């Protein structure tokens, strides 16, 4: 990890100009929300969404195996 979170691969990847957003794939138990690195990526995505709102950054996409919760494609069981 290095000396801090800013040295982590998670942080560095999100901060590249080639990163267009973050996809979080949820299962029926929302297991990713119990993983610290997933929460870290979500937080960084929220910071970036404001900072990069004019350069095509799409922010956070919550998805399930049935589709995207953001665009309304997922089944109602995931909502």
């Amino acid at each position: 990890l290095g000396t801090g979170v800013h040295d982590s691969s998670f942080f560095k990847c999100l901060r590249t100009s080639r990163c267009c957003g973050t996809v979080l794939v949820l299962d029926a138990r929302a297991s990713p929300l119990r993983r610290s690195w997933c929460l870290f990526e979500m937080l960084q995505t929220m910071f970036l969404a404001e900072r990069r709102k004019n350069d095509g950054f799409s922010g956070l996409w919550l998805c399930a195996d049935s589709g995207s919760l953001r665009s309304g494609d997922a089944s109602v069981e995931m909502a």
Side-chain angles (χ1 to χ4, degrees), residues 32-48:
L33 299 177
R34 291 186 265 151
R35 297 182 185 126
S36 59
W37 67 88
C38 292
L39 296 173
F40 174 75
E41 288 177 345
M42 287 177 61
L43 177 63
Q44 293 305 314
T45 300
M46 295 298 130
F47 291 149
L48 287 170

Side-chain angles (χ1 to χ4, degrees), residues 25-67:
V25 180
L26 296 170
D27 58 12
R29 295 178 179 228
S31 298
L33 299 177
R34 291 186 265 151
R35 297 182 185 126
S36 59
W37 67 88
C38 292
L39 296 173
F40 174 75
E41 288 177 345
M42 287 177 61
L43 177 63
Q44 293 305 314
T45 300
M46 295 298 130
F47 291 149
L48 287 170
E50 180 61 29
R51 192 167 122 196
R52 294 185 52 198
K53 63 183 170 188
N54 297 322
D55 74 356
F57 188 75
S58 65
L60 180 65
W61 286 79
L62 295 175
C63 298
D65 61 356
S66 58

Side-chain angles (χ1 to χ4, degrees), residues 6 10 15 23-24 38 60 62-63 65 68 73 75:
H6 295 109
F10 299 112
R15 295 297 172 140
V23 173
L24 182 68
C38 292
L60 180 65
L62 295 175
C63 298
D65 61 356
S68 167
D73 298 334
S75 67

